[in-house]
Amino acid sequence: MFIEQAYKGNNTWWRVLITAAITMGIFIMNFIMFLIVSKEDMAKTYDLMKQLPKNLSLFINLLPFVFLLGILFLLVYFLHERSILSLTTSRKKVDYKRILFSFGLIVFISLASFVVSYQMDSSNIKWNFNPINFSILFVLSCLLLPFQIGLEEYLFRGFLMQQVGIVVKNRWFPLVLTSVLFGLFHSANPEVAEMGFGVMTFYIGTGFLLGIMTLMDEGLELSLGFHLGNNLIAATLITSDFSALQTDAVFKYSGVQNPNDMLTEMIISIVITYPIILFILAKKYNWTNWKQKLTGKIIAIPELVNVEND
């Protein structure tokens, strides 16, 4: 019933277009940059950003998401005339226990993976901890990352998945479309410039993981917790010169990274780690009827439709 929540609002095409255009602006700009800007100019831009204090750079990068998420909420509430709850979940209220569980799950897996890899080979991982800088980083991350991941989840897995779903009247197409868009709109990240377009398979694969979570669980709670935990660990645990976010993390990768090795690690995550995560969630939350929830038809339920479209 998650996609069907869109029927609670006003879905006139021009309203949907306005909301999508305004809130997707930052992602569209990133994608355009990837297409038209040369690698040399992109490298110069990244080098310029690296000259800023890391915490200031993080603040500048994340601040726009505060305003964009607020704008998305305002447009959904006033322009589409429906609640933020309907954008979040099909449940009667937000299940914060789900958010905390998926957050804890990915944090545990990430930390465990780091410990194992560190024990196997720590030659290229150096201690980077600075108490003052890290404290500022941690506070900034806790304050601003929820807005960054919130915009991405509410926009891709929330608004777009719901609106596309009620147009095409099925579940598989919005799952595929939002996952691909999620990947493509990360194309301006430094990792892509460093490792090539192959890294997009990781972003798209992550989009599919989060989309499957959303459809199987009928809400954004699990994807919100997972995304926040993943990004928080990425920002605070270990950084590198080619990370999307340059931070004063606890550790720093100091070696010369082989793009093929990085891509292999990402593919392993998609092929092995992600199915394990879905298996754990499926067992905990008793997911059933996978085919219907991931590919089934969308039917307008009369009691959900409470606004007449123009």
Side-chain angles (χ1 to χ4, degrees):
M1 296 295 293
F2 176 69
I3 288 180
E4 289 85 345
Q5 296 299 307
Y7 285 116
K8 292 182 176 180
N10 192 320
N11 302 305
T12 313
W13 69 268
W14 61 267
R15 297 173 191 263
V16 176
L17 183 61
I18 288 175
T19 302
I22 293 175
T23 55
M24 291 176 66
I26 191 169
F27 301 104
I28 294 173
M29 287 175 59
N30 278 347
F31 188 60
I32 291 175
M33 285 180 61
F34 173 77
L35 293 177
I36 67 174
V37 178
S38 67
K39 288 186 178 181
E40 291 76 15
D41 289 337
M42 289 289 287
K44 291 178 181 178
T45 301
Y46 296 142
D47 289 339
L48 181 63
M49 291 178 62
K50 290 176 183 178
Q51 295 177 15
L52 295 173
K54 291 182 174 61
N55 284 325
L56 176 60
S57 178
L58 180 70
F59 178 79
I60 293 173
N61 274 283
L62 294 182
L63 187 61
F65 292 96
V66 177
F67 300 102
L68 287 172
L69 181 60
I71 290 171
L72 176 60
F73 283 173
L74 289 173
L75 289 171
V76 168
Y77 188 79
F78 290 105
L79 189 63
H80 296 276
E81 301 170 354
R82 67 182 176 109
S83 69
I84 305 305
L85 178 65
S86 70
L87 190 67
T88 308
T89 183
S90 59
R91 284 171 273 275
K92 293 182 179 179
K93 60 181 181 179
V94 177
D95 189 341
Y96 292 100
K97 290 183 179 180
R98 276 175 153 82
I99 297 176
L100 290 174
F101 180 81
S102 61
F103 176 89
L105 178 62
I106 186 57
V107 167
F108 173 79
I109 291 175
S110 298
L111 290 176
S113 300
F114 176 78
V115 170
V116 171
S117 63
Y118 187 83
Q119 292 297 322
M120 293 177 62
D121 181 12
S122 61
S123 59
N124 290 321
I125 300 175
K126 68 177 184 179
W127 184 252
N128 190 56
F129 182 70
N130 179 296
I132 295 177
N133 290 344
F134 180 81
S135 298
I136 297 172
L137 165 65
F138 187 76
V139 171
L140 285 176
S141 298
C142 291
L143 290 176
L144 297 179
L145 281 178
F147 292 97
Q148 182 246 325
I149 68 97
L151 176 66
E152 293 184 1
E153 291 307 309
Y154 276 103
L155 177 58
F156 291 102
R157 258 69 63 181
F159 182 77
L160 289 178
M161 183 171 283
Q162 289 179 338
Q163 295 297 158
V164 173
I166 63 172
V167 170
V168 300
K169 298 295 190 296
N170 65 54
R171 299 172 186 273
W172 69 265
F173 184 79
L175 172 61
V176 173
L177 179 65
T178 57
S179 300
V180 172
L181 287 177
F182 178 76
L184 291 178
F185 285 166
H186 284 79
S187 55
N189 282 12
E191 295 94 336
V192 179
E194 291 284 343
M195 293 179 282
F197 198 71
V199 74
M200 298 305 298
T201 58
F202 175 75
Y203 288 118
I204 294 174
T206 301
F208 272 103
L209 172 70
L210 296 170
I212 291 171
M213 284 183 189
T214 300
L215 291 179
M216 290 304 303
D217 203 55
E218 301 290 0
L220 290 179
E221 291 97 334
L222 293 180
S223 64
L224 284 168
F226 181 95
H227 202 160
L228 178 59
N230 179 79
N231 285 24
L232 184 62
I233 288 295
T236 60
L237 181 60
I238 185 168
T239 187
S240 68
D241 291 333
F242 51 83
S243 297
L245 294 176
Q246 298 288 310
T247 67
D248 291 301
V250 178
F251 296 94
K252 182 174 182 178
Y253 184 85
S254 59
V256 178
Q257 185 63 58
N258 186 324
N260 292 330
D261 290 343
M262 278 292 292
L263 188 57
T264 299
E265 291 177 10
M266 291 177 174
I267 292 175
I268 289 175
S269 293
I270 295 172
V271 175
I272 298 177
T273 307
Y274 285 5
I276 291 174
I277 291 170
L278 289 176
F279 176 79
I280 293 172
L281 295 176
K283 288 296 182 181
K284 180 170 178 59
Y285 297 110
N286 300 312
W287 290 348
T288 58
N289 200 11
W290 287 67
K291 183 178 180 180
Q292 169 59 28
K293 287 188 175 183
L294 297 181
T295 67
K297 294 182 178 180
I298 301 297
I299 301 174
I301 300 175
E303 55 265 30
L304 288 182
V305 183
N306 57 18
V307 175
E308 284 291 333
N309 289 343
D310 296 342

